[in-house]
Amino acid sequence: MAAARTARSARTALALLSALALATGCGAKVTDGGDAPKNAGAAGASGRYPVTVENCGVRTTYDKAPQRVVTNDVGIAEIMFALGLEDRMAGYVAPDYRADRESVPWKDGYEKVKWLSKKEITKELVLDAKADMVFAGWNYGFNEGNGFTPDALKKLGVGSYVLTESCRNGGAGKARGVMPPLEALYTDLTTLGKIFGVEDRAAKLVTDFKKQVADARATVPADGKRPTVFLYDDGRDKATTSGSFAGPHDIITKAGGDHVMKDLKDTWPTVGWETVVERNPDVIVINNYGDVTAEQKKAFLKSYPPLADVSAVKNDRIFVLDYVDLVESPRNPAAIAALARYLKEVREAA
């Protein structure tokens, strides 16, 4: 047993040294919030470093682009794929979600980049991958409860980039969100474009996504009644839903719906069913993920007695979007377009 512990200690030390060496090569330095270099904004486009960026209130200077990024969750991996950064990735961690991976423009990323784990991301996994950066989010991998945080990774010599949708606000750090969800997506694309020197590609993605959203919004009557929409994530005794800081809020609103939980200043809160009954949504959007299928969730909603008189249930107006459509990801604009088409049908049928 002593020999086994010694061998494990030696492997851990070697992994730690490798991670430290890679992080040093990446040259990421957390700054004190002082002035950024004058050339920081153009560094990515010109290939010149250092470049200083701000992510969730933390300013970091990169002497070169990270070379071995590990991402957590499918939407975050697809942000990297959309930017064409597969060759800068050591792998991704994500459950086996049901979302279609064949029809997205960046499907090759799934073939090129190693799927490291379908389970929880850990420090050991990151060290084994010789990562120099982890791209994750609070409750999307980063979690103070298990000690997997940017500060903990920094002590191991590994840098972090935090998904902007998940940025903390408030002193207790319980509420999340510092900007509208779609703005968070555009912010991450732009910032990562600077870090990795692909600013032109990032700018084109943002422009294309904004046009896709604008085209969807153009189908919404300016003075028409908006169908009220409730996002059902999961839950039986209570419902997990979306507040105003999570992706579904922007998706529902820009698709022409009135988000019934827009007053909840959080990302994924839990509410009692009596609140859903009181707000009586015209449409329910199901988040399709996890062990419970969308069909099972729909069957529950339609069979749960307290919801029998809710307009969406009574009129069978239940729409399904995949998890990756609803968390921050490059699929958000297409999700807005799809929901806008459905809500248009609801309006016309009313």
Side-chain angles (χ1 to χ4, degrees):
M1 291 295 291
R5 285 196 298 271
T6 302
R8 284 197 297 271
S9 298
R11 286 196 298 272
T12 301
L14 285 171
L16 177 58
L17 287 172
S18 296
L20 288 168
L22 281 164
T24 303
C26 173
K29 301 184 290 294
V30 177
T31 67
D32 60 3
D35 293 337
K38 291 183 179 180
N39 67 335
S46 66
R48 295 192 305 272
Y49 288 84
V51 59
T52 297
V53 300
E54 183 171 316
N55 170 227
C56 291
V58 176
R59 294 171 70 83
T60 304
T61 298
Y62 294 86
D63 293 329
K64 59 183 287 189
Q67 304 296 311
R68 294 187 60 81
V69 180
V70 169
T71 62
N72 184 76
D73 218 359
V74 61
I76 295 174
E78 290 191 2
I79 289 174
M80 294 290 286
F81 296 162
L83 287 167
L85 296 172
E86 295 90 343
D87 63 337
R88 301 298 179 88
M89 296 177 67
Y92 69 95
V93 177
D96 194 6
Y97 292 123
R98 303 179 184 88
D100 172 27
R101 300 185 181 191
E102 295 300 316
S103 61
V104 292
W106 44 89
K107 65 178 182 179
D108 290 349
Y110 288 109
E111 299 173 2
K112 295 177 181 177
V113 180
K114 186 176 181 180
W115 194 347
L116 297 173
S117 176
K118 298 180 182 180
K119 299 179 181 179
E120 184 179 51
I121 190 169
T122 64
K123 298 172 190 174
E124 292 76 18
L125 181 150
V126 168
L127 291 174
D128 286 345
K130 299 180 174 60
D132 56 3
M133 175 192 277
V134 171
F135 179 10
W138 291 106
N139 284 12
Y140 299 93
F142 292 134
N143 188 321
E144 285 156 351
N146 63 12
F148 191 86
T149 66
D151 283 345
L153 290 173
K154 183 181 176 183
K155 292 176 182 177
L156 298 176
V158 181
S160 298
Y161 186 91
V162 179
L163 186 75
T164 295
E165 178 191 298
S166 76
C167 290
R168 300 299 182 92
N169 71 346
K174 293 181 180 179
R176 302 185 300 279
V178 294
M179 63 180 68
L182 268 183
E183 187 179 335
L185 172 64
Y186 302 151
T187 295
D188 283 334
L189 289 169
T190 301
T191 304
L192 291 164
K194 292 178 180 179
I195 292 171
F196 290 94
V198 291
E199 287 178 292
D200 289 346
R201 184 174 180 86
K204 185 178 189 307
L205 284 170
V206 171
T207 297
D208 291 347
F209 288 158
K210 286 183 175 180
K211 183 180 186 305
Q212 191 173 15
V213 172
D215 290 345
R217 296 185 72 182
T219 67
V220 180
D223 56 353
K225 179 180 180 297
R226 287 173 168 251
T228 54
V229 182
F230 171 70
L231 186 285
Y232 176 52
D233 181 74
D234 204 352
R236 295 297 186 267
D237 295 335
K238 292 185 177 182
T240 301
T241 187
S242 165
S244 61
F245 292 149
H249 174 72
D250 258 5
I251 291 168
I252 291 167
T253 303
K254 290 180 169 57
D258 179 5
H259 182 203
V260 297
M261 298 297 172
K262 59 181 178 289
D263 58 316
L264 301 181
K265 304 303 181 185
D266 202 345
T267 49
W268 300 96
T270 299
V271 298
W273 287 113
E274 63 277 7
T275 303
V276 180
V277 172
E278 178 186 346
R279 300 190 181 190
N280 192 25
D282 298 313
V283 174
I284 293 176
V285 173
I286 287 176
N287 183 4
N288 184 25
Y289 87 106
D291 296 331
V292 182
T293 67
E295 291 75 18
Q296 289 170 325
K297 290 178 182 179
K298 183 174 181 179
F300 166 74
L301 292 171
K302 296 189 72 173
S303 65
Y304 189 50
L307 300 179
D309 292 327
V310 169
S311 177
V313 174
K314 186 165 56 177
N315 294 290
D316 196 25
R317 291 191 293 255
I318 299 175
F319 189 71
V320 177
L321 287 171
D322 282 309
Y323 170 87
V324 68
D325 295 323
L326 293 165
V327 296
E328 184 189 324
S329 83
R331 299 199 194 200
N332 297 156
I336 290 170
L339 183 57
R341 290 191 292 270
Y342 181 78
L343 294 181
K344 182 180 179 182
E345 294 175 3
V346 171
R347 288 195 307 271
E348 291 174 347

